[in-house]
Amino acid sequence: AQKVTQAQTEISVVEKEDVTLDCVYETRDTTYYLFWYKQPPSGELVFLIRRNSFDEQNEISGRYSWNFQKSTSSFNFTITASQVVDSAVYFCALSETNTGANSKLTFGKGITLSVRP
Amino acid sequence: ETGVTQSPTHLIKTRGQQVTLRCSSQSGHNTVSWYQQALGQGPQFIFQYYREEENGRGNFPPRFSGLQFPNYSSELNVNALELDDSALYLCASSLGGTSVSYEQYFGPGTRLTVT
């Protein structure tokens, strides 16, 4: 069975600090997708990134970067020079591939990030 | 391009009652998934509909049921409500089939409170 573990529950940083959110996953599949979503207080989950299991290249998008390491089953997310607007709950999720329609997402419990001015 | 919409935004029901939640998928998407998010937890997969058929179900009892319509909008029905059903219910749409996309786009959710 697939599982996503986000061991950090709450992180508090001061604006402009860098912060890394950890994600460790378990799956028996060789082909799968990993995701990060952001959930602001409004409640809507905002898609941030998708990474497939065959692509271990790190990715950078502005202040956001992601480090995927298959050897340690980790998919960590770093925010550089954090801003108050980054305050939210961040979820890591796993989807095993399936024929036909999309597979279900298995989410971690989320990490609450608070960025103080 | 219209995003995913859900109605109602908030709902208060009494234990034992029935509730129907609605979701309109993003334009061009043919797959709708429903998730339950209890306070302080990550979303849990309830079920998914693809082209009006159920396509996968999580660990939820049969009193959770759903429908998908020809325009790909969807309903989640919960019968015999229990206090533990109080949660944020999220709908996500995506594109499935021959052009499979695993990106699911979420609506704002319906906050259900059972008293």
Side-chain angles (χ1 to χ4, degrees):
Chain A
Q2 52 189 359
K3 183 180 177 182
V4 175
T5 301
Q6 296 181 261
Q8 304 152 308
T9 53
E10 293 184 22
I11 299 176
S12 181
V13 299
V14 177
E15 206 169 19
K16 298 184 183 176
E17 281 186 24
D18 298 346
V19 57
T20 295
L21 311 181
D22 298 333
C23 173
V24 173
Y25 63 92
E26 295 177 29
T27 178
R28 293 177 184 170
D29 273 18
T30 56
T31 304
Y32 51 88
Y33 287 81
L34 295 163
F35 300 79
W36 276 94
Y37 282 87
K38 173 182 180 180
Q39 188 175 44
S42 62
E44 184 169 345
L45 283 168
V46 178
F47 168 81
L48 295 178
I49 189 172
R50 177 191 71 183
R51 172 67 71 225
N52 75 53
S53 53
F54 296 108
D55 182 2
E56 289 194 67
Q57 283 190 341
N58 292 333
E59 179 155 340
I60 298 174
S61 176
R63 297 185 297 107
Y64 296 169
S65 62
W66 290 269
N67 183 347
F68 175 32
Q69 292 197 342
K70 223 169 170 179
S71 60
T72 56
S73 298
S74 66
F75 186 43
N76 297 336
F77 173 29
T78 297
I79 302 174
T80 303
S82 60
Q83 300 177 1
V84 172
V85 293
D86 296 328
S87 297
V89 182
Y90 290 85
F91 291 96
C92 179
L94 167 69
S95 174
E96 293 170 338
T97 56
N98 199 355
T99 56
N102 299 287
S103 293
K104 68 175 185 177
L105 289 172
T106 297
F107 285 85
K109 290 189 174 181
I111 302 169
T112 300
L113 174 64
S114 298
V115 182
R116 308 185 307 275
Chain B
E1 186 176 84
T2 307
V4 180
T5 60
Q6 292 185 243
S7 63
T9 306
H10 294 89
L11 204 51
I12 300 175
K13 288 286 190 178
T14 303
R15 191 170 47 183
Q17 286 187 317
Q18 178 265 343
V19 69
T20 297
L21 310 182
R22 294 178 175 83
C23 170
S24 291
S25 59
Q26 184 166 310
S27 176
H29 286 179
N30 56 16
T31 302
V32 171
S33 302
W34 286 92
Y35 293 82
Q36 180 196 66
Q37 186 180 14
L39 200 60
Q41 301 295 314
Q44 298 287 317
F45 176 75
I46 303 174
F47 45 56
Q48 179 181 93
Y49 279 83
Y50 170 61
R51 291 187 174 177
E52 303 178 57
E53 297 286 332
E54 187 178 290
N55 181 55
R57 187 178 184 93
N59 189 25
F60 281 82
R63 59 190 185 82
F64 285 78
S65 63
L67 282 173
Q68 187 178 33
F69 300 99
N71 66 355
Y72 303 128
S73 65
S74 176
E75 285 182 356
L76 164 65
N77 299 292
V78 186
N79 293 322
L81 283 167
E82 300 177 359
L83 296 178
D84 285 348
D85 296 334
S86 295
L88 180 67
Y89 288 84
L90 294 162
C91 164
S93 80
S94 53
L95 183 61
T98 55
S99 298
V100 176
S101 166
Y102 293 91
E103 294 171 21
Q104 296 191 25
Y105 294 90
F106 284 81
T110 294
R111 173 74 62 187
L112 173 64
T113 302
V114 183
T115 62

